[in-house]
Amino acid sequence: MFVEVNAAEKTLNIRQELTYFNESNDTLTSLILNDWNNAYSDVNTPLARRFSDEFYRGFHLANEEERGSTKNVTIIDADNLFLSWERTAENPDLISIKLREKLAPNQKIKLRLTYTAKIPSDTFTKFGYDTAGGMNLKTWYLSPARYENHAFIRYSNANLDDVANAVSDIDIDLKVGKGVKVTTDLDSTEAIQKESYSIYKLSGKNRTNFSLFIEPKSSFYSFKTSSLSVLTNLKEEKISTKQQAYVIDCVVHYVDDLIGKYPFDKIVVSQTDYERNPFYGLNQLPSFISPFSDEFTYEIKFLKTYLNAYLKNSLRLDNRKDSWIYDGIQVYAMMKYIEENHPNTKMLGSASTFLLLKSYNLTNLDFNEQYSYFYMLMARKNLDQPLGDPKNSLIKFNEQIASKYRAGLSFRYLDKYLGDAIVTKSIRQFYTGNKEKQVSRKDFEATLKRNSSKNIDWFFNTIIESRKIIDFKFADVVKSKDSVSFTIKNRTGVVVPVPIYGIKKGKIVFKKWLDPQVPDSMFTLERKNADKIVLNYKNEVPEYNLRNNWKSLKSFFPNNRPIKFAFMKDLEDPYYNQVLYVPTLGYNLYDGLSPGIRLHNKTILDKPFIFDVNPAYSTNAKAFSGSGFVVINQNYRNSALYNARYSLSGSYFHYAPDAAYLKINPMVQLSIREKDIRDNKKQSILLRQVIVSREKSDIVIDNSTENYSVFNAKYYNTKTEVTNHFSFLSDLQISGKFGKFSTEVEYRQLFENNRQISLRIYAGTFLYNNSNSDFFSFALDRPTDYLFDYGYYGRSESSGFFSQQLILAEGGFKSKLNTPYANQWMTTLNGGYTIWNWIELYGDAGLLKNKNQSRKFVYDSGIRLNLVPDYFEMYLPVYSSNGWEMRQNNYNEKIRFIITLSPKILINLFNRKWF
């Protein structure tokens, strides 16, 4: 290739000569070239849809000049004849070239290509041009796709660093502006200096990809080890160059010894690569905490990033289909590195020595134990996916964290079971053989089986290819002075080996691997004075539940776990019944500030049984208030109905200055999802009985209904992405005094010009209504909230600041009109349109019908300040059925607002891209 860099236009003008050697046994009629740079060309590509799916707005709202593309493509054969080519709507980042003549096995064809690659901004993926005038280039040129199993692999860019390129020999003449610095892991000669430009000659053999950085001033430092030149700009300003060199040398030699020698002379370990795949755990901790030394932090960051570059540059696997092998080797190597070099390091480093944190399980876990908890976080949410699934089918948390960690844990599991370093030996053999040919998971599996004397089919069938969970527990235990007999109950029926330990005063006195081939297996072992037997004591098996894995051999109550109190939050500790306590401060107008204490057992991992009690003291009412609930969660692993949640909740607060309410709410919620877990479509069915007891108030005008019970059934169907949202809700309520049914449909669409349209239709009708008041009526702008579902701060206020709080429910109007309720039926349409950034126009229109009255048409309109959606919004009425509202008195009292004090809503805005 001859590549001319135009820094001003952010383009590469490319002349390329491609010689394709057909090494397959098939005769080819066409060639496929990966054109992943063109994935940035518009908002309809697979890459753009993935951004939308993961709630990233930046690409959708970017300017045209910020996006990338590949244009002006011409392809000429050896006879100087133009060849036809095409991109498809399904794969706009692939180019299919139709050959004039068939290409037989072991034959070559030479093509000449010219094209212009417009480089995208690095704000989308960290690859592209930056604001400092540099470029970080990845997958920017047209490259032959990998050919396997009689076909070219047709993968579109999904921002997963998994391009399937054929192995190539590369020669590049790179023309850049004078003084510009180039960093690459290709071989390079000294730049040829001209008057206004420089030419770098780059080359590489047997490459599938490479790094290329073009900078006004190089940010990279070169470190030379005995076997390799390491170019890195990994940021760590607090340790010296000498310390960095020592770390780099240790890591390079460690990986060489463990896996094998890197096949190239240079490797680039960049800050960009680390930021795209950071060490989750370290990167989540605020810098001011600093529980790890600067040297250790740099060491782990470099180790992870180096392994990532080392494996991806040299392993000739299909990284989308076989990503679990890359991930497994990387995390397995990191775990062994910690075991050998930092065996006493804890998950939170020096935080384990802090007096206030010593009792926390979170701080006492060994560093390597965190991998298991990150995987278990998803398993307990019933969101884990098979390791063998393609990378692009994984939800983001699995792709970035949980599946990677589980792969490493699985390799360690197999290594502990087989012993004799068989897994390490197999990885080394596989890596060495990879240098000679294109490989796949079958080659890796064959290597492991060849080195193992035991049957390990279970490892591939269960651990890799399925999402079956592992859970063993003790059933019957019979002990004597010299022996112990026990039955292992296999709770999930998954047949895999599990280790059992004998523990005496905290020390291991025996260990044996068991192979329970049937659901309930009986074993007898020599006791060796053990006072406790524990399954999976060292957590070698990626097990779903560790709380049922031990039996005491000395106490009368063998599983009597002591209660352990912890402040705020902690990880699950299988040897204690944990109770967490948190000071709370609530507020509503009638209770005032309500300090309290929350007692619960909700650790970071989801549990099948949860209790949460929050007693508080109302400073205004001078009385106790509060809320609480108990929940039983049941996951279904292999059905569309993936979760059933049974709960009983209660709350006691004031709804008026002189009166309180008690709400009891038994509920069942069924959650349904698509077969494709990445699909954002979710459905749920909610069934509940709301029982309310209200004290009589001398202040609230409507006191006709003090005690009542309502059966409520709801069905939700939603699908949300950053570019569009659709939801459907139906709601049935049955009570002694009324029956009503309503539906609600919401739609939002975000356009390329950063304009958004939102529509909401609500329709509700009474099936029967024997009430003599509007307490149960449909509300146009402010529901009475007789089910006490909404977070009103002053729910009984009819004037003043608290009456202006807006809850978008039922009619969804923002203006207060003369007919605020409907006791027969109501239909409304709410709409909004962005005019600039977070400023929108809104309008509402509706028909409502009351008994003995003709139906009435109502409307309103105004300006919405959408500062933080669902968290902080303001509505300024302009014109409505009341006339020009801005001209009327007390306009400030007509302004409506949404303010949510619950941090959970704000956190969900950031979490949704992960799950």
Side-chain angles (χ1 to χ4, degrees):
M1 284 186 282
F2 179 83
V3 182
E4 182 181 27
V5 179
N6 186 329
E9 298 293 330
K10 314 295 190 301
T11 59
L12 308 176
N13 296 313
I14 301 170
R15 297 198 309 269
Q16 181 174 341
E17 185 178 276
L18 172 63
T19 302
Y20 188 89
F21 178 37
N22 182 9
E23 293 183 313
S24 74
N25 295 321
D26 302 326
T27 298
L28 306 180
T29 59
S30 64
L31 299 180
I32 300 296
L33 304 183
N34 288 317
D35 183 18
W36 277 23
N37 189 65
N38 203 57
Y40 298 90
S41 57
D42 61 51
V43 296
N44 298 309
T45 66
L47 177 63
R49 290 195 293 271
R50 192 168 182 98
F51 283 144
S52 177
D53 187 47
E54 294 180 351
F55 298 94
Y56 173 63
R57 293 168 58 103
F59 184 76
H60 195 87
L61 304 179
N63 300 321
E64 188 65 29
E65 55 268 24
E66 293 179 282
R67 297 196 182 121
S69 61
T70 305
K71 295 182 177 179
N72 307 322
V73 179
T74 61
I75 304 174
I76 301 174
D77 65 13
D79 297 323
N80 290 326
L81 297 175
F82 288 93
L83 295 180
S84 61
W85 60 272
E86 66 173 355
R87 296 190 184 104
T88 64
E90 181 184 0
N91 299 115
D93 44 13
L94 300 178
I95 284 179
S96 177
I97 305 172
K98 187 175 181 180
L99 301 179
R100 290 183 182 274
E101 297 180 1
K102 295 179 179 179
L103 185 63
N106 298 314
Q107 297 297 309
K108 296 181 181 180
I109 186 172
K110 184 179 290 186
L111 305 176
R112 284 181 289 152
L113 299 82
T114 61
Y115 53 96
T116 300
K118 167 69 176 68
I119 303 304
S121 167
D122 69 351
T123 55
F124 310 133
T125 64
K126 300 187 185 298
F127 295 135
Y129 72 84
D130 60 35
T131 55
M135 292 184 182
N136 178 359
L137 300 178
K138 268 282 172 75
T139 61
W140 50 274
Y141 62 98
L142 298 180
S143 55
R146 179 184 177 112
Y147 192 86
E148 190 173 60
N149 297 325
H150 312 293
F152 285 100
I153 292 178
R154 298 169 180 257
Y155 291 157
S156 281
N157 188 350
N159 191 27
L160 297 172
D161 294 343
D162 59 354
V163 65
N165 285 336
V167 177
S168 301
D169 294 341
I170 299 168
D171 288 288
I172 301 174
D173 286 354
L174 183 68
K175 180 181 177 182
V176 298
K178 191 172 181 63
V180 170
K181 303 300 180 185
V182 173
T183 302
T184 180
D185 50 358
L186 295 176
D187 298 328
S188 58
T189 60
E190 192 72 27
I192 301 171
Q193 303 292 339
K194 300 293 184 179
E195 186 174 341
S196 60
Y197 61 89
S198 302
I199 294 180
Y200 287 83
K201 291 188 173 293
L202 315 176
S203 64
K205 292 188 178 298
N206 298 321
R207 309 296 298 235
T208 55
N209 210 341
F210 59 90
S211 298
L212 181 60
F213 291 83
I214 302 171
E215 302 172 290
K217 181 181 178 182
S218 179
S219 61
F220 285 83
Y221 292 91
S222 177
F223 295 89
K224 181 72 175 174
T225 72
S226 60
S227 60
L228 189 63
S229 289
V230 178
L231 304 171
T232 181
N233 64 348
L234 205 59
K235 294 177 182 176
E236 189 52 67
E237 300 172 356
K238 295 181 181 179
I239 70 171
S240 67
T241 304
K242 185 177 180 180
Q243 289 172 306
Q244 292 181 41
Y246 177 76
V247 167
I248 291 170
D249 192 65
C250 288
V251 168
V252 169
H253 281 95
Y254 167 79
V255 176
D256 280 354
D257 292 342
L258 183 74
I259 303 174
K261 190 177 183 302
Y262 189 63
F264 308 115
D265 295 329
K266 290 194 298 183
I267 190 170
V268 171
V269 180
S270 70
Q271 180 67 22
T272 297
D273 288 340
Y274 175 74
E275 290 174 356
R276 283 181 59 81
N277 291 282
F279 188 92
Y280 289 96
L282 284 180
N283 74 318
Q284 306 300 312
L285 298 171
S287 58
F288 66 85
I289 293 180
S290 299
F292 299 101
S293 68
D294 298 325
E295 293 83 356
F296 180 82
T297 301
Y298 182 81
E299 191 173 357
I300 294 302
K301 289 169 64 175
F302 182 83
L303 173 65
K304 187 177 193 303
T305 315
Y306 176 79
L307 279 166
N308 186 57
Y310 168 96
L311 293 169
K312 286 187 175 177
N313 290 345
S314 55
L315 270 184
R316 301 179 188 180
L317 285 160
D318 179 342
N319 190 17
R320 178 163 296 182
K321 188 172 64 176
D322 298 330
S323 61
W324 63 274
I325 300 177
Y326 287 96
D327 299 335
I329 295 174
Q330 182 190 49
V331 176
Y332 175 75
M334 293 182 67
M335 296 175 79
K336 292 191 75 67
Y337 184 88
I338 292 294
E339 288 174 1
E340 292 178 20
N341 298 282
H342 304 279
N344 298 318
T345 301
K346 299 298 182 182
M347 180 175 170
L348 289 186
S350 60
S352 61
T353 63
F354 299 166
L355 183 62
L356 293 176
L357 301 178
K358 275 190 172 182
S359 63
Y360 282 83
N361 191 38
L362 182 66
T363 61
N364 289 317
L365 287 176
D366 289 338
F367 190 85
N368 280 341
E369 290 187 71
Q370 64 187 297
Y371 298 109
S372 177
Y373 278 90
F374 275 111
Y375 153 65
M376 198 53 61
L377 180 70
M378 298 304 283
R380 294 282 186 89
K381 290 180 180 293
N382 203 7
L383 288 173
D384 56 308
Q385 294 170 271
L387 291 178
D389 279 6
K391 197 173 183 179
N392 63 322
S393 70
L394 304 179
I395 59 177
K396 188 169 184 178
F397 194 94
N398 286 334
E399 183 264 317
Q400 289 271 295
I401 307 174
S403 290
K404 288 177 182 285
Y405 290 178
R406 190 190 173 199
L409 289 167
S410 300
F411 279 36
R412 187 188 67 164
Y413 174 23
L414 186 63
D415 181 59
K416 296 289 186 182
Y417 172 66
L418 296 177
D420 299 325
I422 287 175
V423 169
T424 301
K425 177 184 176 182
S426 299
I427 290 172
R428 193 181 297 120
Q429 287 180 3
F430 175 72
Y431 185 81
T432 302
N434 163 79
K435 297 177 183 179
E436 301 170 0
K437 61 178 181 177
Q438 190 169 277
V439 291
S440 69
R441 68 169 69 188
K442 290 182 179 179
D443 298 294
F444 184 66
E445 181 176 344
T447 303
L448 278 169
K449 288 182 174 180
R450 187 168 57 247
N451 290 325
S452 172
S453 59
K454 300 178 182 178
N455 184 346
I456 56 172
D457 287 340
W458 58 268
F459 178 77
F460 298 98
N461 297 337
T462 301
I463 304 299
I464 303 300
E465 298 297 343
S466 81
R467 62 188 297 264
K468 295 176 181 177
I469 56 176
I470 302 167
D471 190 13
F472 293 103
K473 66 174 289 186
F474 286 111
D476 300 324
V477 176
V478 179
K479 60 185 179 180
S480 69
K481 183 177 180 180
D482 300 319
S483 67
V484 56
S485 299
F486 53 88
T487 300
I488 292 181
K489 186 174 182 61
N490 190 334
R491 302 189 67 190
T492 58
V494 177
V495 179
V496 295
V498 62
I500 185 168
Y501 290 80
I503 308 297
K504 181 180 180 181
K505 297 181 179 179
K507 294 185 178 181
I508 299 170
V509 293
F510 69 80
K511 174 188 177 182
K512 182 177 177 60
W513 280 93
L514 307 176
D515 288 295
Q517 297 299 313
V518 293
D520 298 322
S521 303
M522 173 70 79
F523 299 91
T524 300
L525 298 175
E526 185 181 353
R527 181 171 175 176
K528 295 184 178 180
N529 296 318
D531 54 37
K532 184 190 300 181
I533 53 173
V534 185
L535 289 169
N536 198 19
Y537 181 66
K538 292 288 187 179
N539 203 7
E540 291 110 324
V541 183
E543 198 176 359
Y544 187 76
N545 181 17
L546 298 175
R547 291 175 57 80
N548 53 13
N549 281 22
W550 62 284
K551 284 280 187 178
S552 173
L553 301 180
K554 61 179 182 178
S555 62
F556 182 73
F557 298 104
N559 275 335
N560 184 23
R561 296 185 183 89
I563 294 177
K564 179 182 179 182
F565 288 90
F567 179 65
M568 293 291 287
K569 206 79 168 176
D570 196 6
L571 278 178
E572 182 175 288
D573 190 332
Y575 302 113
Y576 291 89
N577 288 314
Q578 292 162 289
V579 177
L580 296 99
Y581 60 95
V582 186
T584 60
L585 186 63
Y587 176 80
N588 70 57
L589 182 62
Y590 315 117
D591 289 300
L593 291 173
S594 301
I597 186 164
R598 179 179 168 218
L599 302 171
H600 65 95
N601 71 333
K602 293 171 66 176
T603 54
I604 294 172
L605 301 181
D606 288 354
K607 291 183 175 182
F609 174 77
I610 297 171
F611 70 85
D612 194 322
V613 181
N614 189 183
Y617 183 76
S618 303
T619 55
N620 281 3
K622 309 298 182 188
F624 286 99
S625 60
S627 61
F629 63 83
V630 292
V631 171
I632 295 175
N633 261 314
Q634 187 171 356
N635 287 330
Y636 298 93
R637 301 283 297 176
N638 301 307
S639 67
L641 172 64
Y642 75 98
N643 177 263
R645 180 183 175 95
Y646 309 92
S647 65
L648 176 64
S649 63
S651 57
Y652 179 81
F653 294 103
H654 285 77
Y655 73 94
D658 62 339
Y661 72 89
L662 172 65
K663 171 185 172 181
I664 305 296
N665 183 21
M667 180 170 66
V668 177
Q669 182 171 336
L670 308 175
S671 297
I672 303 166
R673 68 184 176 202
E674 299 301 297
K675 186 176 181 180
D676 177 7
I677 298 182
R678 277 194 60 87
D679 195 324
N680 284 330
K681 182 179 179 181
K682 300 290 186 293
Q683 300 177 72
S684 63
I685 299 168
L686 184 147
L687 305 171
R688 62 176 179 166
Q689 189 76 30
V690 182
I691 304 164
V692 176
S693 175
R694 296 198 308 163
E695 295 177 352
K696 186 175 179 63
S697 171
D698 295 327
I699 298 175
V700 177
I701 297 174
D702 183 4
N703 251 319
S704 58
T705 306
E706 294 171 11
N707 303 315
Y708 50 89
S709 177
V710 180
F711 170 75
N712 184 207
K714 292 184 179 183
Y715 168 72
Y716 298 87
N717 190 325
T718 67
K719 182 163 185 174
T720 301
E721 296 179 4
V722 76
T723 54
N724 56 68
H725 161 85
F726 176 84
S727 69
F728 172 82
L729 165 66
S730 62
D731 189 336
L732 173 68
Q733 297 178 19
I734 301 293
S735 180
K737 290 195 173 184
F738 73 92
K740 63 199 298 191
F741 178 77
S742 65
T743 60
E744 177 184 318
V745 177
E746 285 187 351
Y747 174 77
R748 272 198 317 270
Q749 178 69 47
L750 179 65
F751 301 105
E752 288 185 52
N753 60 3
N754 200 11
R755 300 288 194 267
Q756 178 174 280
I757 188 171
S758 58
L759 297 171
R760 174 180 177 269
I761 298 174
Y762 179 85
T765 184
F766 276 92
L767 305 176
Y768 59 91
N769 187 359
N770 301 322
S771 174
N772 296 320
S773 74
D774 280 323
F775 186 63
F776 298 118
S777 295
F778 295 109
L780 201 61
D781 75 287
R782 187 176 167 86
T784 57
D785 191 26
Y786 50 86
L787 297 181
F788 292 92
D789 287 337
Y790 305 134
Y792 279 124
Y793 302 118
R795 63 178 58 249
S796 297
E797 300 302 292
S798 57
S799 62
F801 175 78
F802 287 96
S803 70
Q804 295 170 236
Q805 182 184 0
L806 178 66
I807 302 290
L808 280 175
E810 298 189 10
F813 270 55
K814 289 78 186 178
S815 293
K816 298 180 180 181
L817 305 184
N818 295 328
T819 310
Y821 299 108
N823 59 26
Q824 199 163 342
W825 58 263
M826 181 173 71
T827 300
T828 61
L829 171 65
N830 314 124
Y833 184 75
T834 305
I835 55 176
W836 179 81
N837 209 354
W838 39 266
I839 300 177
E840 300 179 11
L841 293 177
Y842 74 81
D844 307 310
L847 288 169
L848 52 87
K849 178 71 170 66
N850 283 289
K851 293 178 181 178
N852 305 317
Q853 296 181 21
S854 59
R855 65 185 182 184
K856 187 172 183 178
F857 175 72
V858 290
Y859 59 90
D860 72 1
S861 62
I863 297 173
R864 175 192 184 195
L865 305 181
N866 185 15
L867 302 173
V868 181
D870 303 321
Y871 201 79
F872 182 50
E873 304 175 14
M874 292 184 65
Y875 293 82
L876 310 176
V878 175
Y879 190 78
S880 71
S881 298
N882 294 332
W884 289 99
E885 303 220 24
M886 286 187 169
R887 296 178 180 176
Q888 298 171 8
N889 296 330
N890 302 320
Y891 178 74
N892 61 310
E893 296 181 7
K894 299 177 183 292
I895 297 172
R896 306 298 293 274
F897 63 86
I898 292 175
I899 296 179
T900 304
L901 298 180
S902 170
K904 183 178 180 181
I905 293 178
L906 189 60
I907 291 171
N908 285 342
L909 296 177
F910 299 97
N911 282 351
R912 60 188 180 179
K913 69 178 181 180
W914 288 100
F915 304 109

